[in-house]
Amino acid sequence: MYRESDSTLLAYTQKNPNSKIAFWDLISLMSWGYEPIFDSIYNAFSNTLREGYAGKVLGEKLKIGKQLSVGQPFPIINCQSKNNEKLSSAFFLRNKYTLIDFWYSACAPCRRQFSNMRDLYKQYGNNGFEIVGISVDKTTRKQDWEKVIADEKLVWQQYWDKNGAETNRLSILSFPTNFLIDSKGKIISKNISMEELEEFLREKLK
């Protein structure tokens, strides 16, 4: 549904390159995260819109968001565990597949997926599958973050991006957001559903 909507916006923009409504529609879509088609939509706008202040800001956000496209190496994120250990890119190289899950303690949709994640981790955790949780909780909610980890029995690696500083820099603005990383540290899927992930792991980690 979203891809059809994006294609419609691209077609409209190509016919109406000065449309401010379409321009702000693209800005709104970016609040849900970057998609490759957004570059085509942006480039279809007139120079007047792209070279204005809002256009330049949007252009920078698109460049940053492109770092998280499928096929790109997952960028280094400055976050720490409860023991103040930093997340290293070397971690991904030790596993066949790693799911990076961005969440926060008060996010109900984030917590709803934990049951499925626990099941998948139990089934495939010893076969080359790993999970990394990255919370964007505010510093005032550190105890809430730690409590959810304990209550939900999240036994996989957990890191904290304080106040979502790094996540916001990378234009990850909706939650949960996840990335599936391969053994070379490259993104092979974005926002994969738990059902799709289960099917993928069943096929790849027989």
Side-chain angles (χ1 to χ4, degrees), residues 35-150:
E35 295 294 339
I37 193 173
F38 293 170
D39 288 315
S40 297
I41 298 172
Y42 178 77
N43 290 329
F45 285 113
S46 66
N47 289 339
T48 301
L49 286 177
R50 284 188 285 110
E51 293 177 2
Y53 176 77
K56 290 180 179 178
V57 171
L58 179 57
E60 286 302 312
K61 285 186 175 295
L62 288 168
K63 289 179 182 178
I64 294 171
K66 193 179 298 186
Q67 297 179 47
L68 295 174
S69 298
V70 171
Q72 295 295 317
F74 190 78
I76 299 299
I77 289 185
N78 183 20
C79 56
Q80 296 179 325
S81 69
K82 289 190 294 184
N83 298 321
N84 295 320
E85 297 172 343
K86 291 187 176 183
L87 177 61
S88 168
S89 58
F91 179 86
F92 308 130
L93 308 183
R94 299 198 297 265
N95 311 296
K96 293 180 180 178
Y97 302 103
T98 303
L99 182 74
I100 303 177
D101 175 48
F102 289 89
W103 66 284
Y104 62 96
S105 59
C107 172
C110 299
R111 298 186 64 170
R112 279 198 294 269
Q113 66 180 357
F114 288 154
S115 177
N116 288 331
M117 292 173 69
R118 284 195 302 269
D119 291 342
L120 292 176
Y121 194 69
K122 182 178 181 181
Q123 186 171 0
Y124 297 103
N126 292 323
N127 295 329
F129 174 60
E130 187 55 79
I131 301 176
V132 171
I134 300 179
S135 166
V136 299
D137 275 295
K138 296 182 181 299
T139 51
T140 55
R141 304 202 64 163
K142 181 182 180 182
Q143 291 185 338
D144 295 328
W145 168 57
E146 294 175 337
K147 186 176 187 300
V148 170
I149 293 173

Side-chain angles (χ1 to χ4, degrees), residues 157-176:
Q157 299 278 356
Q158 294 292 334
Y159 292 85
W160 184 24
D161 173 20
K162 296 180 182 179
N163 300 311
E166 286 287 283
T167 309
N168 185 67
R169 178 180 65 82
L170 292 168
S171 295
I172 301 173
L173 304 173
S174 63
F175 304 93

Side-chain angles (χ1 to χ4, degrees), residues 154-204:
L154 306 183
V155 296
W156 50 88
Q157 299 278 356
Q158 294 292 334
Y159 292 85
W160 184 24
D161 173 20
K162 296 180 182 179
N163 300 311
E166 286 287 283
T167 309
N168 185 67
R169 178 180 65 82
L170 292 168
S171 295
I172 301 173
L173 304 173
S174 63
F175 304 93
T177 286
N178 68 54
F179 298 88
L180 187 62
I181 313 300
D182 67 12
S183 59
K184 296 180 180 178
K186 289 188 177 181
I187 301 169
I188 58 175
S189 184
K190 177 182 177 181
N191 287 331
I192 188 170
S193 71
M194 293 300 104
E195 294 75 19
E196 292 169 332
L197 178 59
E198 181 178 12
E199 183 177 346
F200 176 87
L201 294 176
R202 188 188 305 121
E203 173 65 25
K204 298 295 185 178

